[in-house]
Amino acid sequence: MDPNIPEALRRFDLTGRVAVVTGASSGLGAGLARALASAGARVALVARRYDRLVKLADEIGGLPVACDLLDQAQLEALVPQVTAELGGPEILVNVAGDIFSRDPAEIEPLDAIRKTLDLNLVAPFQLSQAVFPHMVAAGRGSIVHVSSISGQVGFPGYPQAAYAASKQGLSGLTAELAVQWARHGIRVNTLAPGFFRSEINDELYEDERFRAWLQRNTPLPANAGFDDFAGAVLWLVSDAGRHVTGQTIAVDGGFTTQ
Ligand SMILES: NC(=O)c1ccc[n+]([C@@H]2O[C@H](COP(=O)([O-])OP(=O)(O)OC[C@H]3O[C@@H](n4cnc5c(N)ncnc54)[C@H](OP(=O)(O)O)[C@@H]3O)[C@@H](O)[C@H]2O)c1
């Protein structure tokens, strides 16, 4: 890094650090993978749609890794593959997530509830376990889970009970891992996005009434882009955030504060 860059900014430098980003084939994950790569990290780009990962790797470098996180064997193979090809991860950002039912809670199907918890909560837990020995060996590490403001607040008219439960579960996991692993120099935090237009919610944004409702209920202008999320990730995974652990931080333009 350029020695003329002030010390305060140099703390964001990730040169040489290996980062695993799940959900890198679209939306927030692709956006923050770009940001991590621009700060010098060697990024493992993880998702099911391999063609998209290859395209992103052509653009920013890094290692595309096809992995269905709902497939236990593929999940277990992920960190060993990354370690063999890039080195031991010092950064893990668990972005991959989905919603499997839009039914009201009283009739949400059990298989959808289980799938939601498996992808959104159990997979991040297991990947945290998988990177743990590498972070211990390095004497440092940063894990960021991407949850949601769903569950911090309910959304009348948009039922999502299992999704909200899975996302709020990440905050409990975060506090516990942060305390258990702090002595190894490992920090664990959760970022809770508000509304960012992506494949997961594109349909909603097609609805003019939704866009007007969002505008009315968001103190900052409600047109956030992926870069507006990536900055918070960069802070948490770099030395700039080295005294922050165990936190859940909303990146929502103030939606949950009013
Ligand atoms: N956008 C928002 O407003 C918003 C708000 C709150 C929370 N979030 C959370 O932010 C995260 C990213 O969302 P996004 O908006 O960027 O949505 P997105 O564009 O739909 O991205 C979801 C990512 O998860 C990956 N994924 C889904 N199922 C997977 C599986 N079984 N195995 C591996 N990867 C899988 C997808 O890749 P493949 O399909 O290629 O596997 C994709 O890269 C999610 O956890 C979401 O819940 C988003």
Side-chain angles (χ1 to χ4, degrees), residues 91-242:
I91 295 167
L92 167 65
V93 192
N94 283 306
V95 190
D98 209 344
I99 186 160
F100 293 99
S101 160
R102 303 272 180 190
D103 293 310
E106 60 273 22
I107 56 164
E108 211 171 330
L110 183 58
D111 64 330
I113 296 172
R114 291 216 161 107
K115 227 169 141 182
T116 309
L117 290 168
D118 278 346
L119 179 62
N120 295 359
L121 179 59
V122 179
F125 193 165
Q126 287 192 282
L127 291 180
S128 301
Q129 291 176 317
V131 296
F132 173 75
H134 301 289
M135 293 182 174
V136 170
R140 67 179 182 190
S142 176
I143 298 172
V144 174
H145 304 300
V146 175
S147 69
S148 168
I149 58 170
S150 300
Q152 285 183 22
V153 291
F155 290 93
Y158 299 101
Q160 44 186 324
Y163 179 81
S166 69
K167 293 300 193 179
Q168 290 308 295
L170 288 170
S171 293
L173 179 66
T174 290
E176 188 59 25
L177 297 187
V179 169
Q180 288 192 31
W181 295 353
R183 69 196 171 90
H184 300 292
I186 301 171
R187 297 183 295 105
V188 187
N189 292 285
T190 286
L191 287 174
F195 293 88
F196 293 83
R197 188 170 189 167
S198 72
E199 289 176 16
I200 209 171
N201 55 22
D202 202 43
E203 234 178 82
L204 270 180
Y205 278 85
E206 292 298 319
D207 182 348
E208 199 182 312
R209 284 167 312 167
F210 167 77
R211 293 199 305 272
W213 170 85
L214 186 58
Q215 205 68 56
R216 273 198 313 278
N217 289 289
T218 308
L220 288 176
N223 54 358
F226 301 136
D227 287 348
D228 298 310
F229 185 75
V233 179
L234 265 186
W235 169 57
L236 286 175
V237 301
S238 68
D239 293 348
R242 67 188 173 199

